[in-house]
Amino acid sequence: MQQYDVIVIGGGPGGLAAAYPLASAGKKVLVVERDLWGGTCPNYGCDPKKMLYSAVQAKTYAARMTKAGLNGIPDINWPKLMAFKRAYTRTVPSGTRSGVTGAGMVAVDGEARFIDEHTIAVGEDLYEGQDIIIATGVQPVLPDIKGRELIATSRDFLDMDHLPQHIAFIGAGYVSMELANIAAAAGAEVDVIMHGDRALRGFPAAAVDALQKAMQNEHIHFHENIELKRVDETPQGTLRLQADGFTLDVQRVFAAMGRRPDEQLHLNRAHVKTTARGIVVNEFLETTTPHIYAIGDVAATSQPKLTPVAGFDGRYVAEHLLGSAAPIAYPAIPTTVYGSLEISKVGVSPETAAGDDRYVVNSEDVTHWYTYNRTQETFASVTVVEEKATNLIVGATVVSSSAESLVNLLTMAINTKTPADQVQRMVFAYPSEASDMDYLL
Ligand SMILES: Cc1cc2nc3c(=O)[nH]c(=O)nc-3n(C[C@H](O)[C@H](O)[C@H](O)COP(=O)(O)OP(=O)(O)OC[C@H]3O[C@@H](n4cnc5c(N)ncnc54)[C@H](O)[C@@H]3O)c2cc1C
Ligand SMILES: NC(=O)c1ccc[n+]([C@@H]2O[C@H](COP(=O)([O-])OP(=O)(O)OC[C@H]3O[C@@H](n4cnc5c(N)ncnc54)[C@H](O)[C@@H]3O)[C@@H](O)[C@H]2O)c1
């Protein structure tokens, strides 16, 4: 049996962020990957999604600027856009794998499963690790209904050769809102099926309303309070979605109902406990078996399930295994929905701050400010939450076609504890979203 200081299961952003610093500190590291090296984000998540989104951004920007003298709205050629995306994704797995071996680690292809607390198997081969890091991510949830095998996932969407004429998404979270926007801008008719009456739970209602209104203007249809019962193929080759009092025929339907860990690892053999949210971990990201860690999407922490969080977890566990005794302390983490409007948020939400004496909330509809008027935005708003006693910025929500950049700046102010008046004294390039901060704090 081969022996390692550390075995990392999963070659995605979390696992790799842990593996590299351990290897450069001289640890003997094995990384196991059962599918595409690099994991979800660069192969069938954030990065390919944002490649497709680039064309959508350019198209919507051009459409807005027809009022300002630009002639014609460009069309999106789906096969060419897909070729552009594939030119990026094609090299990710091989490049990532050779990065791992080039750094002196051992890369094994195959599905890992636990044999006992220190041993994993990949196929017939056994590997023993002094420490083991589980970084196996999560899988899309499919509804438990008749015709479930006809339902595709975001991974299928992000690699479609042709764009179907009519698409439906089940769910109204990140994946659905982002991919619906891409599909509609590329020319598909899009329906979003919601089992409740709120999209993007966890984002401020006013921001979500603005996004939904913008999506409705792009002819995306939202169907609220629909509990889907079945999907059938019709003789015409379309898919018929049915619920009580509801029927919809589409070419393709995608589940976007959240993501959960799968159960291939035989965690019980290593006494690692799980809940429906993932693997139970403590403040050191240790599972219920002390030398086994869980990081990234698969760990049941209260953090959002995002690539930079997986990376933060991975770097933290590496430092912990190299001797740091401090518990994990997350910074404020920004998150963005890349829709026809971007919604970006970080820190204390306006809804939490409202009615709490400790905070002051500055909220501005900035649609007609110079910055957003110049690019003919249809809606833009900035909300900043400050702590009264310290003048520190503690939260922000931005809605605009480029919300992520302002929220990233405000995230830096939050995490470096730069007071609002100090940010106002800084000089930023003018005119820009950053120079507007003078009037927003
Ligand atoms: C469509 C989509 C868009 C997204 N967009 C964004 C975004 O814009 N910004 C953002 O921050 N996040 C985004 N995310 C989330 C982001 O992709 C994840 O948070 C991130 O990939 C988590 O990293 P991870 O290492 O925990 O898991 P993963 O990236 O999922 O990596 C886990 C790896 O483990 C492997 N694995 C699983 N089980 C085993 C096993 N038993 N043996 C061996 N290998 C195994 C898997 O094959 C996979 O490669 C998006 C996700 C999706 C689906
Ligand atoms: N921009 C980003 O950062 C980004 C983009 C995409 C995905 N992600 C990550 O991937 C995760 C998964 O995204 P997601 O959109 O699949 O999940 P999500 O948790 O964001 O949204 C799930 C949606 O499905 C709905 N839903 C749940 N059960 C349902 C049912 N039975 N019928 C109909 N609808 C149902 C929920 O109400 C919700 O609207 C996100 O939580 C996020 O961590 C991030």
Side-chain angles (χ1 to χ4, degrees), residues 208-269:
V208 176
D209 287 348
L211 172 60
Q212 264 186 284
K213 211 171 280 168
M215 292 174 74
Q216 280 159 341
N217 287 340
E218 301 297 322
H219 310 293
I220 296 169
H221 316 288
F222 291 91
H223 304 276
E224 296 179 356
N225 301 313
I226 303 287
E227 206 63 63
L228 213 56
K229 291 272 162 55
R230 57 189 292 162
V231 179
D232 297 286
E233 265 173 310
T234 67
Q236 295 74 35
T238 57
L239 299 176
R240 177 158 296 161
L241 316 187
Q242 291 184 78
D244 290 340
F246 175 85
T247 304
L248 180 71
D249 285 356
V250 293
Q251 256 91 34
R252 266 192 113 172
V253 57
F254 297 90
M257 303 164 48
R259 294 165 60 82
R260 303 262 177 286
D262 67 20
E263 284 155 17
Q264 310 300 319
L265 276 167
H266 299 304
L267 291 169
N268 54 325
R269 294 183 188 160

Side-chain angles (χ1 to χ4, degrees), residues 22-42:
L22 288 166
S24 44
K27 297 274 185 191
K28 193 177 170 199
V29 178
L30 168 75
V31 188
V32 189
E33 171 54 56
R34 70 175 177 189
D35 189 358
L36 298 181
W37 288 87
T40 303
C41 183

Side-chain angles (χ1 to χ4, degrees), residues 18 20-27 315-325:
Y20 273 94
L22 288 166
S24 44
K27 297 274 185 191
R315 290 189 295 277
Y316 167 79
V317 166
E319 278 169 24
H320 181 71
L321 289 177
L322 294 172
S324 163

Side-chain angles (χ1 to χ4, degrees), residues 195-432:
H195 72 156
D197 58 5
R198 260 203 80 178
L200 291 170
R201 267 171 213 285
F203 281 84
V208 176
D209 287 348
L211 172 60
Q212 264 186 284
K213 211 171 280 168
M215 292 174 74
Q216 280 159 341
N217 287 340
E218 301 297 322
H219 310 293
I220 296 169
H221 316 288
F222 291 91
H223 304 276
E224 296 179 356
N225 301 313
I226 303 287
E227 206 63 63
L228 213 56
K229 291 272 162 55
R230 57 189 292 162
V231 179
D232 297 286
E233 265 173 310
T234 67
Q236 295 74 35
T238 57
L239 299 176
R240 177 158 296 161
L241 316 187
Q242 291 184 78
D244 290 340
F246 175 85
T247 304
L248 180 71
D249 285 356
V250 293
Q251 256 91 34
R252 266 192 113 172
V253 57
F254 297 90
M257 303 164 48
R259 294 165 60 82
R260 303 262 177 286
D262 67 20
E263 284 155 17
Q264 310 300 319
L265 276 167
H266 299 304
L267 291 169
N268 54 325
R269 294 183 188 160
H271 311 293
V272 171
K273 293 218 163 60
T274 61
T275 67
R277 287 177 48 240
I279 297 178
V280 176
V281 289
N282 65 13
E283 69 275 31
F284 303 104
L285 300 182
E286 255 170 355
T287 67
T288 41
T289 300
H291 64 274
I292 302 179
Y293 296 80
I295 61 174
D297 281 8
V298 78
T301 64
S302 57
Q303 299 304 313
K305 299 303 173 198
L306 300 171
T307 292
V309 178
F312 190 87
D313 284 357
R315 290 189 295 277
Y316 167 79
V317 166
E319 278 169 24
H320 181 71
L321 289 177
L322 294 172
S324 163
I328 192 161
Y330 291 98
I333 291 164
T335 174
T336 299
V337 181
Y338 297 101
S340 53
L341 283 172
E342 292 180 359
I343 307 179
S344 271
K345 63 167 188 168
V346 63
V348 178
S349 74
E351 278 153 354
T352 305
D356 186 329
D357 282 352
R358 287 173 300 163
Y359 302 115
V360 52
V361 180
N362 302 321
S363 196
E364 294 281 350
D365 179 335
V366 293
T367 315
H368 301 293
W369 286 27
Y370 171 81
T371 305
Y372 304 94
N373 184 39
R374 182 184 70 82
T375 53
Q376 288 293 293
E377 302 264 334
T378 49
F379 179 83
S381 72
V382 180
T383 304
V384 180
V385 180
E386 290 173 30
E387 194 176 56
K388 270 188 203 156
T390 55
N391 194 226
L392 288 175
I393 301 163
V394 292
T397 304
V398 180
V399 184
S400 77
S401 68
S402 55
E404 62 174 359
S405 37
L406 188 54
V407 157
N408 278 336
L409 268 177
L410 290 163
T411 300
M412 195 180 285
I414 294 173
N415 287 328
T416 55
K417 298 200 180 307
T418 310
D421 53 355
Q422 209 170 311
V423 174
Q424 282 173 311
R425 282 199 294 276
M426 289 177 190
V427 176
F428 293 104
Y430 176 90
S432 67

